[in-house]
Amino acid sequence: SAGMFLRLLSDVRWQAANPKWRRMTCCQRSTSSTAEPHPVSLPAQAQVVICGGGIMGTSVAYHLSKMGWKDIVLLEQGRLAAGTTRFCAGIVSTARHVSIELKMADYSNKLYQQLEQETGVNTGYTKTGSISLAQTQDRLISLKRIASSLNVMGIPCEIITPKQVAQLHPLINIHDLVGAMYVPEDALVSSANVSLALATAASRNGVQIHERTSVSHVSVQKGRVTGVETDRGQIQCQYFVNCAGQWAYELGHSGEEPVNIPLHACEHFYLLTHPLKEPLASNLPTVVDPDGRIYIRNWQGGILSGGFEKNPKPLFTEGRNQLEIQNLQEDWDHFEPLLSALLRRMPDLEALQIMQLVNCPESFTPDMRCIMGESPTVRGYFVLAGMNSAGISYGGGAGKYLAEWMVNGYPSENVWPLDLKRFGTLQSSRTFLRHRVMEVMPLMCDLKVPRWDFQTGRQLRTSPLYDRLDAQGARWMEKHGFERVKYFVPPGKDLLDLDQSKTFYKPDWFDIVGSEVKCCKEAVCVIDMSSFTKFEISSTGDQALETLQYLFSNDLDVPVGHVVHTGMLNEKGGYENDCSIARLSKRSFFMISPTDQQVHCWAWLKNRLPDDSNLTMEDVTWKYTALNLIGPRAVDVLSELSYAPMTPEHFPSLFCKEMSVGYANGIRVMSITHTGEPGFMLYIPIEYALHVYNEVMNMGQKYGIRNAGYYALRSLRIEKFFAFWGQDLDAFTTPMECGREFQVKLEKGMEFVGQEALLEQKQNGVYKRFTMFILEDHDTDTDLWPWWGEPIFRNGRYVGKTTSSAYSYSLERHVCLGFVHHFDEKTGEELVVTTDFINQGEYEIDIAGQRFQAKAKLYPFSSLFTHRRRKDEVELSSYQRE
Amino acid sequence: FYLTPPQVNSILKANEYSFKVPEFDGKNVSSVLGFDSNQLPANAPIEDRRSAATCLQTRGMLLGVFDGHAGCACAQAVSERLFYYIAVSLLPHETLLEIENAVESGRALLPILQWHKHPNDYFSKEASKLYFNSLRTYWQELIDLNSGETTDVKEALINAFKRLDNDISLEAQVGDPNSFLNYLVLRVAFSGATACVAHVDGVDLHIANTGDSRAMLGVQEEDGSWSAVNLSYDHNAQNEHEVERVKMEHPKSEEKSLVKQDRLLGLLMPFRAFGDVKFKWSIELQKRVVESGPDQLNDNEYTKFIPPNYYTPPYLTAEPEVIHHKLRPQDKFLVLATDGLWETMHRQDVARIVGEYLTGVHHQQPIAVGGYKVTLGQMHGLLTERRARISSVFEDQNAATHLIRHAVGNNEFGTVDHERLSKMLSLPEELARMYRDDITIIVVQFNSHVIGACQNDE
C-alpha cells in the first residue's frame, strides 16, 4: 500500500530534524485526529509563492532562501514529497547527453552529498557509482561520447570491459556486452528525504511551508503576477513558481492568462523485491542497461528495477486532477518485456521474491528536456517541471538555476535548451503532447545518434510549398513545429529506411547533400526557409529607430533599403538573438530571426519596448514564404524574372528592395543568403509563393537550378565560419568572442544594451574565442563523425567544446566550430584568450574518446571560394585537391 | 486477389454469435457460463444449421449442429423442430396436460423453449402450423401413453429424434393442399441432415448424435495442458461398429453392396441421418410420392434415382447414439461441430486452441502479487505464457470464430497464416466446396465453480 511505501522509501525523521514548520502544519497528524486541519493561516502576502512540495519546489525554496530571499511561501496540495518525488527510484546519475543537464546533475550530486550534514535529515545518500552497459558497438560509442564530456568536467568516469563489469557487480551476465561506462561518483538517495531535507533547510531560512493547500489559479494584472488564489484564501505575491510536476500543465492553464507548460504524464513501472538470501550490499553500483531499457539498483538488500518500455501508457490526457498520486494499478503484462530484460541481465535473480510492482506516473516533455524559466506572457511567473523521470538527478541544479534566474535575472549557465520559451502555444495541444510523449519515453533508452528527428506531432506548420517539395523527394525535419527540408532524394535513388540510417559514421545522404552543395557553388539552388521568425516594427515617428538602436548592437540608422546583421544583446553583451534587420522605410523595420526565436524574441522585445501606442510590433512569420536562392547564377535567374539588373553594381550586398518576380508584386528581395555564398533571399507574400517558386524553377532550368535543403546550407555556413544562434551563439557569448566586432557599433552615438560590457571586453580582451577547426587525420568514410559537444584539446589540455560541425565538400574535410578558453595551468583560472594563443596551439578534437588533429582558424576561407583572392589562401591551397 | 485482415475478419465474424448465461443476484448458478457459435459457408447457400435454446419447463440447455446434404431443407427443419421434440419428451405428464389444455381452450401456451439465435438463423413461418400440429400429435400420444415414470433423458432424446424423423417421413407421404408447403415437406424428406445435440443440466451432459458431426469435451489437466475427450461416435464407414450394425440389419447377401467406397450403398457418407427417404422408403413408396408430387420433384433426377442394390429398406435411421457424461471441474468446454471442422483439425489441436483461447481471453485478468510469495522467475514464466496466448487470440471475441480461423488458416506449423486464410476465404463459390466444407461450431463453456459445488453435494 501507499502507506507502506512512504515508510519503506523514506526513513522520515521529523523529530530529529524538528523544523518549526512541521509543528505548525502537521499537528493534525501528531495530535488527535479531531484537531482542526489548518491551524496556521496563510500570510496575506509574500514575495514568492512556490506551488508544489516535491523535489523541484523544495529545491527552489532552498536555493532562493540561500540567496537571501526570505519572504517565500511554499504550498503543497497534499503532503511534502508525496507525489512523483516519493515514488521515484532515487538514482542520482550524471551520465547525461546534454551538457547543461550534466552540469545540473553534477551539482545535485554534490549538494545531496552534504545535505544530511547541513540539515540533520537522513537523506540516505550512498555513493554507489553507476555502470551503463553497452550491448552494441553503437551504444558503446554513445557512452564514450558521454565519458568524454564527463572527463573534461572533472567527473571521474571510465570506459570498462565486460570483465571489469563482472568485477564491479557479481550478478551481471556479461556475455552479450561489448563494454560499459563506469561513473564511480554516482549515488543513491531517498528522494523523499532529500526533498524533506531541502524543505527543512529552507524552513530554517524563513520559508513558510503549508501542506494541504491547493492553488486554484494565479492572478495576473497587466502581464504581471499579482497573487495566487488557494482553497485557503489569497496570497498577494510578485513571483509565482509553478513546480506542480505532472499537474503543472493544468495549473498553467487555470488562470485567466494561460501559461503553456507542455508536459504530459506517462505511467512508469518499477519492481521491488525482498532481499536476496545474501542481501545485496548497499554500495553496489546501480546498473543501467539502455539496450534492455532497464535500470537496476540495490534496495534494502534486494533490488529495485524499472525501465522505459517501447509502448508507454500516457495518462491524465483529459487532465484528471487528483489530490495526490493515487496508487495506480500494477500491470504485470505491460512490465513483462522489462522483467525479461532484467532476468536476462541478472539470471540469478530468478528465485528472488517479488515485493511489489510500483506504478508511479512521470511527466515527459516534447523534446526530452526539462522546462524552466519565466513565462513569455506573464512576468514573474516561473516554471520548473517536466523532468522526464530524472527529477532527482536534476533537482538540485535545476532549483539553483531557477533561483539564480529569479534573483539575478539570469542563471549562471546557458539554460536555453531548457528554457520554457523554446516552446510556443503550438505545443499546448493535448493530442500533440499525448502523441509526442509516447515517442519521447521510449527514446529515453534509444540510441542518441546525430540528426534524429521526432516522428510524432509532425506536419503542423508547413510552407505553402510543402506538397510541391515533398513530391520532389524532400526529406523533412522539424524545428519549432515547422517542417524544413533536410535534402532531396533524387528520383530512383533509395535511401536506407529510417532506423538503419541512424549512424555515428558517414550517413547515407552524404553524396546527395554533396551534389546540392556543388550546385550551390556552381549554379543555383533554391531552399525554402519560410520557418524563419519575421517581425515588423514600425512607428509614426522616430520611436522605432530609437528603440531599435537601443536594443540592437549594430547601427540601424542606415539608408532605407539596407540590411544590417546585428545581435540583440543582454546587459552582459551576450546574444539573446542574432538577426538581420532590413530598413523598409524611415520608420519601419523588417526583422528576421532564427525559427526558435519566435517566442523568446517576442517576449524580450515586448518587455523592453516603451509603452507607446505609436510604436507597433507585429509577428508576420506566417505572412511570408521565404526562398533562398543560393549560387553564382541566382543573379541571372532573378534578373530574367524581374527585368531588373541584379548585378552587384545595381544590387549590392546587404541590400533590400521590394520588386516584382514573374507576375507577383511586392516581393522583398534581399541580397543575403545566410551562407556567405552569393545569392538572394526572397520574402514572398504567401499567396504568391507557388507562383514565384514555379517561375524561379522554370527560369532556373537553363541555369541548372535544383532544390536543396538545410543540410547543404549547414555545410556551406560552417565552412564559411558562420555562427548560428542557438547552436554556436547563446546568451553567454558576445560579438567580441566570435569575431563579430564589425557587427557592433560601439560609437553609434547612443547607448545600447550591452555596450558597457562590450567596451570592457574590447579593452581587457575576451575569455573565450570562437574558432574554426579543420580535422586533419580524420577519414570521412571510416572514422566517427563529429557532431557537437566534442571536447577541444590544445597542446593536450582541455580548452573548450565544439558547438557545431559539418563536412565541407569544398575542403573535403570536416569543419568543427567551437570555443577556445585559456585555463591557467596551475589554478584553472580563466585567462584572456589572444589571437596568438589560438594560433600557437596544437589542437585535437575528441570524438567519443578518439582524438583527431585539427587546424585552428580565426577567419573564414571566404577568399577561397569567391573571385577575389587574398593572401592567406596560399597556406590553405593544400586543402584544395583539383 | 487479396483480402485485407479487416476483410477477412468481417467474413469470419459475419455469423458469429455469443450467449452468456445471465447472472442471477450476481451469481451464475448454471453449470454453463455461455457459448460461442459460428458458421463459415462453403456451399451456397450453406447447408449447415445450428440451434441453441434453454428449456423453460424443465431444467437444462440444448445445443446442436446439423449438417445437411442434398440441400438445406432437412437441416433447416431439424434445426427448428428437434428441440421442441426433445423438450416435449422431457416434460412431465402434468405439464403436458397443462399445455394441451391451454391449446384446447385457446389460452396462451406456456413457453417451452427460449431460443438463442443469430439473426441469420430463421424459422420457416409457412410451415409453423404444420410443424405445430405434428408436435401436438406427439405430445397427445405421450399424454395417452402416460407411463407414470420419471423421464429418462437418454430415452427422451432417442424418442425425440426418431419421432421427428418419422413425422418428416409422414408429412411427405401425406402431402399438403398448399403447394408451397407440399413441395417443402417433400424437399425436407428427400434431403438429409445429421444432428449432434447436447443437453446440459447441472453436471449431467447428454450427447445425442446421428451422423458424422462430433461432440468433444475440452479437459484441462492438472499441469494446465489440454486434452480432448470424444463424446460421440461418428456414424460413417470409418466406424467399425456402425458398419457391423448396418450389416446386421440386412441379409448377408447384401453384405458387399451395403458399403461401397466408404459410403452407404456407395452413395451416402453418414450412416445415420434425418430425412433421406430415398434410403428409408420402399421403392414403390418413393415412386408413388414422386409421381404424385409437384413437377419440380418429378423433374429432379436425384429424387427419381433409386439407389442401386436397394432390396431391404430402410437402410438408414435417425436414431441417435446417446452418451451420458458427468461433468467434472476439469471439464472446461464442449465443442459441437460439423465434419467440416474435424476434416481439417485433430481434436487434440481443437482442445488446445479453444482451451488457450478461453483461458487467455476470459480468464486473463490482471495479475496481482498481493500477499503471495512469487519469485521473479515464476512471474516471468507466467507472463511469457500469457503473452504468447494474447498474440494469437486478441483478434477474436468468439471462440468459434477463433477455431474457424485456425481451421481455415493454419499452416504446417499450426499457426494462422494470413495469406492462406485470405486465399481460402476469397475462393469463388464454385471452387470453395472443393477446398473445404461448411463449418459450424458451437463452443460451450462450463462453469467450473458450479460443477465443483454440485460434485461436492452429491
Side-chain angles (χ1 to χ4, degrees), chain A residues 332-333 336 340 350 352 354, chain B residues 367 374-377 380 386:
Chain A
W332 280 100
D333 292 303
E336 186 271 327
S340 297
E350 281 230 337
L352 192 55
I354 294 166
Chain B
I367 305 178
V374 185
T375 68
L376 292 178
H380 184 234
R386 281 160 69 96

Side-chain angles (χ1 to χ4, degrees), chain A residues 70 95 158 237 257 260 317 351 397 460 479 544 639 782 817 831:
Chain A
K70 305 290 183 188
E158 56 180 320
C237 64
E257 184 78 47
N260 177 41
T317 304
L460 181 57
K479 182 102 177 184
S639 57
T782 57
L817 308 182
L831 304 175

Side-chain angles (χ1 to χ4, degrees), chain A residues 271 273 303 329-330 332-333 335-337 339-340 342-343 349-355, chain B residues 364-370 372-380 383-384 386-387 390:
Chain A
L271 171 78
T273 72
I303 59 138
Q329 286 283 309
E330 57 192 317
W332 280 100
D333 292 303
F335 193 70
E336 186 271 327
L339 179 59
S340 297
L342 170 65
L343 290 177
L349 297 185
E350 281 230 337
L352 192 55
Q353 220 184 83
I354 294 166
M355 179 174 273
Chain B
Q364 190 120 333
Q365 263 124 28
I367 305 178
V369 175
Y372 299 109
K373 288 185 177 179
V374 185
T375 68
L376 292 178
Q378 289 166 338
M379 179 60 84
H380 184 234
L383 294 175
T384 351
R386 281 160 69 96
R387 195 180 54 162
I390 291 169

